[in-house]
Amino acid sequence: MIRPRRLRKNIAIRDMVRETQLDSADFIYPIFIEEGENIKKEISSMPGIYRYSLDRIDEELQEVAELGIPSLMLFGIPKQKDAEGSSSWQDEGIVQQGIKHIKQAQPSLYLIADVCFCEYTDHGHCGVMVNGDVDNDLTLTNLEKQSISLANAGADMLAPSGMMDGMIASMRDALDLNGHSTLPIMSYAVKYASSFYGPFRDAADSAPAFGDRHTYQMDPANRMEALREADLDVEEGADILMVKPALSYLDIIRDLKERYSLPLATYNVSGEYAMLKAAAAKGWIDGEKMMMEQLTSMKRAGADLILTYHAKEAAKLLLRKSGS
Ligand code: PBG
């Protein structure tokens, strides 16, 4: 008789035949930097995740580096917002300052800057509004300015999340023409219009003041369109593709993994984190086990890199497991 259970008999053999291994080197930890002083404010729907001003951030940076998490995704919360989000491309903007600060405080950390406008616009949409909708091509012009400014500040990688058509091509051109031809772009290539972003919008003060993001982010029902979006970004020169959110879109992660040879990232978003934390706080689930199971499922589906608010906790568990 064929008995698959033979290879599940004890922990040694289970470890030996395990197909998917999580590794802290694959984690990217999102971090919220707020303009101002003396800020360390927990986000109510994301326990354990804080907004920091730069004068209070060093301890967090040190912890991330010591845990072996190689990279941060930076989000900024500016003091000033306006219709176009112009504080996002100021050389003294909050993320620009943040990059310079972190490069001094923890030079080993690889800094990926989110490139978008929703945290910087007074209406909370991801670009320039014309007649009640985000104007694609006007937004591209601003995206170029923001990209050059973040690159000049010393970002190691840029990650545009606004789902504008042609965003990768226009950023690539702008970077190449301004001395940044070696700077990679990780595209939020397949980003769905998802209700799982709710807690992030509290975290980053970026909820749209009116309407929604359905004219630029993708319909959660669509799969073929995800391939078309990714095809375009590959053609336009993206270096890494991302699928976002992660858990309800594991099929899309698998589709992209099979179709492209580029590294693939997925974003385990705020709502996914909040659900797990809420259920764990009630004692309804085992939060640590469920976290590791979810992260493993993302990797098994095909994600090479995982952006996750769980990065520190998961890295701690992995260190404990390896006995170091
Ligand atoms: C847009 C952006 C969003 C997230 C990352 N980048 C929010 C949105 O599109 O509304 C969401 C991340 C999360 O939910 O954790 N700059």
Side-chain angles (χ1 to χ4, degrees):
M1 192 172 159
I2 295 172
R3 295 181 186 274
R5 289 183 55 189
R6 288 182 194 121
L7 299 185
R8 298 180 201 138
K9 200 169 176 68
N10 58 39
I11 194 164
I13 185 64
R14 288 196 297 274
D15 281 349
M16 286 161 71
V17 300
R18 183 162 303 121
E19 298 172 39
T20 308
Q21 309 283 351
L22 282 177
D23 183 347
S24 306
D26 303 327
F27 295 151
I28 300 170
Y29 188 53
I31 201 158
F32 298 99
I33 311 173
E34 181 165 354
E35 201 167 0
E37 274 105 53
N38 200 22
I39 302 164
K40 178 180 177 185
K41 195 162 128 214
E42 192 169 34
I43 296 146
S44 58
S45 50
M46 300 175 74
I49 304 296
Y50 297 79
R51 294 176 180 199
Y52 291 98
S53 53
L54 288 172
D55 56 347
R56 301 266 320 253
I57 207 171
D58 287 3
E59 221 175 296
E60 174 85 335
L61 299 173
Q62 188 179 346
E63 196 187 358
V64 171
E66 283 174 1
L67 285 168
I69 298 162
S71 176
L72 298 175
M73 172 69 93
L74 307 177
F75 294 100
I77 301 137
K79 273 196 176 140
Q80 304 293 339
K81 302 192 185 213
D82 62 21
E84 295 207 8
S86 65
S87 59
S88 68
W89 64 79
Q90 306 303 327
D91 290 341
E92 288 309 308
I94 180 60
V95 173
Q96 288 82 350
Q97 286 181 44
I99 292 167
K100 288 177 211 157
H101 176 91
I102 301 168
K103 281 288 169 197
Q104 291 229 316
Q106 291 294 337
S108 70
L109 290 174
Y110 189 88
L111 303 185
I112 309 176
D114 181 82
V115 190
C116 194
F117 298 100
C118 58
E119 301 108 272
Y120 303 90
T121 52
D122 48 20
H123 45 70
H125 278 285
C126 302
V128 183
M129 298 302 284
V130 176
N131 299 327
D133 194 6
V134 174
D135 185 282
N136 196 86
D137 298 7
L138 291 175
T139 301
L140 291 183
T141 308
N142 290 347
L143 206 58
E144 294 182 13
K145 291 189 245 180
Q146 191 184 354
S147 300
I148 294 166
S149 171
L150 291 166
N152 287 341
D156 293 301
M157 184 184 283
L158 300 184
S161 62
M163 288 298 281
M164 292 301 120
D165 295 337
M167 66 184 184
I168 303 302
S170 59
M171 283 174 60
R172 188 69 272 159
D173 274 359
L175 291 170
D176 290 354
L177 290 170
N178 286 277
H180 296 293
S181 60
T182 61
L183 196 77
I185 300 174
M186 172 162 71
S187 180
Y188 288 70
V190 180
K191 178 171 175 181
Y192 287 95
S194 171
S195 46
F196 287 91
Y197 307 148
F200 174 95
R201 293 178 186 171
D202 299 336
D205 272 344
S206 64
F210 52 87
D212 54 40
R213 303 208 202 287
H214 288 83
T215 67
Y216 41 105
Q217 299 179 350
M218 273 183 52
D219 182 340
N222 292 356
R223 176 173 173 229
M224 298 314 292
E225 189 187 0
L227 302 180
R228 193 155 68 243
E229 280 285 358
D231 279 347
L232 288 169
D233 285 1
V234 171
E235 270 169 41
E236 292 177 30
D239 298 282
I240 298 180
L241 300 174
M242 190 202 296
V243 173
K244 177 183 174 187
L247 288 171
S248 298
Y249 301 89
L250 296 175
D251 55 332
I252 308 298
I253 295 175
R254 171 53 47 187
D255 283 340
L256 263 64
K257 183 65 183 173
E258 285 177 356
R259 188 165 166 127
Y260 306 102
S261 55
L262 294 178
L264 182 62
T266 192
Y267 200 139
N268 176 208
V269 298
S270 57
E272 297 171 334
Y273 179 85
M275 285 196 305
L276 189 152
K277 287 293 178 193
K282 281 190 173 279
W284 289 353
I285 57 160
D286 181 326
E288 282 191 351
K289 287 204 177 111
M290 194 180 277
M291 166 182 79
M292 295 312 255
E293 186 174 333
Q294 290 187 339
L295 293 170
T296 302
S297 75
M298 294 168 210
K299 196 147 181 208
R300 191 198 61 233
D304 302 296
L305 299 166
I306 302 174
L307 293 105
T308 180
Y309 304 100
H310 293 298
K312 289 198 305 179
E313 287 168 278
K316 277 179 210 161
L317 284 181
L318 290 169
L319 282 174
R320 219 186 296 155
K321 211 178 90 188
S322 71
S324 44

